[in-house]
């Protein structure tokens, strides 16, 4: 058991005794229900919700003093207390997560389907491992400040594996984790299989225990695929059982109509529901955020939008290159836009804070590249070079007459006016025929005389 304990041994903290969501008061009065109804009666724009929902990394107390940053899970819980439905596109690497954050979304979700595709180039059929998912997830969570919900699949095994998965996702910086009741990851058109109801509930209980043992508040999203595998009635029974076991958010996959979606949202109405808007090939109706909010959903996932458009864009670009063209400017980001997204300017500004007197005399690779670009683009900025030709060195190898031409070399040193060495190479005589194309100041007569 000790081998599975990744977290601190602080006293356990019971977080979820009530069957209703921890995001709302457990004893909701009729006046509170009326207040909630009034709050949802006047929907407002999704963009306004995003601007109001995104949490800052530093919180303040009543006196205005800065406090320590809140945990990723705390950020997610605070976001979920805001009114309205919250959209969460699915990412698959650090770059896609950055783009989601830049677009103004308050949180994102990792997609096991997309990570398996991008990292392995393989289908999501249980081939990607727990370790690979945690590693990819850590890169994602460290690249953004918004909370990230991780796709934990079926927990990679039995209840003990589920505990290990939850603890690993907590350490990786996830704000939430999705645990489903599938036998294995089968995001395909083939018939899905789920574990028994008892085992599915034990997975959720194991996840809750792992959270308590880590003294964490990670959001547990319990998902069932039993609608397709068994029946709608079974999926609703499991949803209730998952909530009683301590799940924070519920999700039923493959619902086929608005009526089924409403029936699901009526299960413990105060418990947040996640809608999985499978963009292509799914059975669930594709509804807009306001329609989903009206039905009763709180979170919305878009699992394959980003990986799908990425694949299509790369295919179009490769088709253009194969045809002797380059992708048109409108179809790709400029180098400046890429640099802005990746934070080149921010990096260089921060780098200056740590500059020392010795570092001023050093030339970084990025600075050399930048200086070369400036010299090429601006003739006035071109730097005159000092070229020093040193007496060639001859190595005696009498036993091999064919090696004489290669045993002679010409050493060329190029020093800039600033005193920094730009080039120091030894060129074999066999390559000297074209050396004047590289260093124009060396003429053929001087070369021949020195040889």
């Amino acid at each position: 058991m000790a081998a599975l304990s990744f977290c601190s041994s602080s006293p356990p903290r019971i977080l979820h005794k009530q069957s209703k969501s921890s995001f709302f008061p457990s004893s909701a009065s009729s006046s509170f229900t009326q207040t909630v109804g009034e709050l949802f009666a006047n929907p407002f724009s999704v963009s306004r919700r995003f601007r109001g929902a995104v949490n800052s990394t530093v919180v303040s107390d009543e006196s205005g003093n800065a406090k320590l940053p809140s945990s990723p899970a705390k950020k997610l819980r605070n976001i979920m207390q805001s009114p309205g439905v919250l959209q969460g596109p699915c990412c698959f690497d650090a770059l896609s997560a950055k783009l989601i954050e830049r677009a103004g979304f308050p949180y994102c979700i990792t997609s096991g389907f997309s990570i398996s595709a991008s990292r392995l180039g393989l289908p999501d059929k249980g081939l990607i491992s727990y370790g690979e998912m945690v590693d990819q997830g850590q890169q994602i969570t460290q690249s953004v400040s918004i909370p990230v919900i991780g796709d934990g699949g079926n927990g990679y095994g039995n209840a003990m594996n589920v505990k290990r998965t939850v603890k690993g996702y907590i350490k990786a910086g996830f704000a939430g984790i999705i645990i489903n009741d599938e036998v294995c990851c089968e995001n395909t058109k083939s018939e899905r299989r789920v574990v028994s109801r008892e085992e599915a509930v034990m997975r959720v209980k194991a996840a809750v225990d792992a959270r308590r043992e880590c003294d964490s508040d990670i959001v547990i999203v319990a998902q069932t695929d039993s609608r397709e595998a068994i029946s709608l009635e079974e999926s609703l029974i499991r949803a209730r059982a998952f909530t009683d076991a301590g799940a924070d958010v519920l999700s039923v996959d493959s619902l086929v109509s608005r009526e089924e979606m409403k029936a699901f949202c009526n299960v413990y109405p105060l418990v947040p529901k996640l809608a999985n808007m499978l963009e292509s090939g799914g059975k669930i109706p594709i509804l807009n955020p306001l329609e989903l909010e009206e039905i009763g959903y709180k979170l919305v996932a878009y699992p394959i939008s980003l990986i799908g458009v990425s694949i299509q864009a790369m295919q179009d670009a490769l088709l253009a290159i194969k045809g002797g063209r380059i992708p048109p400017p409108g179809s790709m980001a400029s180098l400046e836009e890429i640099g802005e997204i990746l934070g080149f300017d921010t990096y260089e500004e921060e780098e200056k804070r740590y500059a020392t007197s010795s570092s001023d005399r050093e030339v970084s690779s990025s600075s050399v590249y930048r200086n070369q670009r400036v010299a090429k683009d601006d003739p006035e900025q071109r730097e005159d070079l000092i070229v020093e030709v040193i007496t060639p060195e001859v190595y005696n190898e009498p036993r091999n007459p064919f090696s004489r031409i290669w045993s002679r070399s010409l050493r060329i040193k190029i020093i800039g006016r600033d005193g920094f060495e730009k080039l120091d190479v030894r060129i074999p005589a066999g390559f000297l025929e074209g050396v004047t194309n590289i260093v124009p100041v060396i003429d053929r007569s001087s070369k021949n005389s020195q040889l």
Side-chain angles (χ1 to χ4, degrees), residues 1-284:
M1 294 297 183
L4 294 174
S5 180
F6 295 93
C7 308
S8 63
S9 58
S10 57
R13 183 159 54 96
I14 305 300
L15 297 176
H16 300 274
K17 285 185 176 180
Q18 72 277 17
S19 61
K20 295 184 183 296
S21 169
S22 61
F23 301 115
F24 299 97
S26 57
S27 58
S29 63
S30 59
S31 60
F32 175 76
T33 306
Q34 182 179 359
T35 302
V36 173
E38 293 173 353
L39 196 58
F40 282 85
N42 299 313
F44 46 90
S45 69
V46 173
S47 59
R48 277 169 49 197
R49 277 185 227 128
F50 286 157
R51 288 195 294 269
V54 178
N55 251 9
S56 60
T57 56
V58 178
V59 296
S60 301
D61 56 21
E62 294 179 357
S63 60
N65 298 323
K67 297 166 63 177
L68 292 176
S70 59
S71 70
K74 180 64 175 178
K75 291 182 185 179
L76 180 59
R77 290 177 183 274
N78 288 341
I79 289 171
M80 295 180 65
Q81 288 178 353
S82 62
V85 70
L86 300 169
Q87 295 171 290
C90 291
C91 62
F92 49 88
D93 58 12
L95 178 58
S96 58
K98 275 181 174 289
L99 294 174
I100 292 172
E101 182 177 34
R102 280 172 57 87
F105 291 95
Y107 75 103
C108 64
I109 305 173
T110 65
S111 164
F113 179 92
S114 300
I115 291 176
S116 181
S118 63
R119 180 164 175 143
L120 304 182
L122 294 173
D124 185 19
K125 294 285 288 183
L127 298 174
I128 193 165
S129 68
Y130 155 79
E132 289 169 317
M133 287 293 290
V134 169
D135 177 68
Q136 193 83 348
Q138 189 169 30
Q139 294 180 29
I140 290 171
T141 60
Q142 291 179 353
S143 69
V144 295
S145 61
I146 59 175
V148 183
I149 299 175
D151 184 356
N154 62 358
Y156 301 93
N158 61 17
M160 296 305 296
N161 290 97
V162 171
K163 291 186 70 174
R164 178 173 183 258
T165 299
V166 172
K167 292 179 179 181
Y169 275 46
I170 292 172
K171 291 187 66 176
F174 282 105
I177 182 171
I178 301 173
I179 297 294
N180 65 42
D181 57 1
E182 282 188 305
V183 172
C184 65
C185 297
E186 297 182 339
N187 292 321
T188 66
K189 295 181 179 179
S190 60
E191 182 180 354
R192 292 189 178 183
R193 295 178 296 152
V194 294
V195 298
S196 67
R197 186 191 307 169
E198 181 182 11
E199 184 176 347
V201 173
M202 285 302 170
R203 285 183 182 179
V204 177
K205 289 184 176 180
V208 172
D209 289 342
R211 173 176 61 190
R212 185 186 67 250
E213 291 170 10
C214 286
D215 195 23
S216 168
D217 56 352
I218 188 171
V219 175
I220 296 175
V221 182
Q223 176 178 302
T224 178
D225 293 272
S226 57
R227 167 62 187 94
E228 182 178 351
I230 303 177
S231 67
L232 173 63
E233 181 181 3
E234 176 63 22
S235 66
L236 300 183
I237 293 174
R238 293 193 181 206
R240 294 188 185 93
F242 292 164
T243 305
D244 295 338
D248 300 300
V249 180
L250 299 176
S251 177
V252 175
D253 206 18
S254 300
L255 297 174
V256 299
S257 67
R258 288 173 181 255
E259 289 70 26
E260 290 191 359
M261 297 167 74
K262 288 180 181 179
F264 165 55
C265 289
N266 286 333
V267 175
Y268 292 145
L270 294 182
V271 177
K273 308 299 192 300
L274 168 67
N276 188 27
M277 292 285 99
L278 184 56
E279 301 90 326
S280 176
K283 296 181 178 180
I284 190 169

Side-chain angles (χ1 to χ4, degrees), residues 389-392 410-411 442 444-451:
V389 181
I390 302 176
T391 304
L410 177 67
R411 184 183 180 188
I442 303 178
R444 292 180 181 274
S445 60
S446 63
K447 180 187 70 175
N448 293 333
S449 65
Q450 291 186 27
L451 288 176

Side-chain angles (χ1 to χ4, degrees), residues 49 55 129 158 182 334 352 369 408-409 421 436 443:
R49 277 185 227 128
N55 251 9
S129 68
N158 61 17
E182 282 188 305
S334 66
K352 293 176 182 177
Y369 174 75
R408 302 178 182 182
S409 64
E421 185 179 285
T436 53
D443 57 28

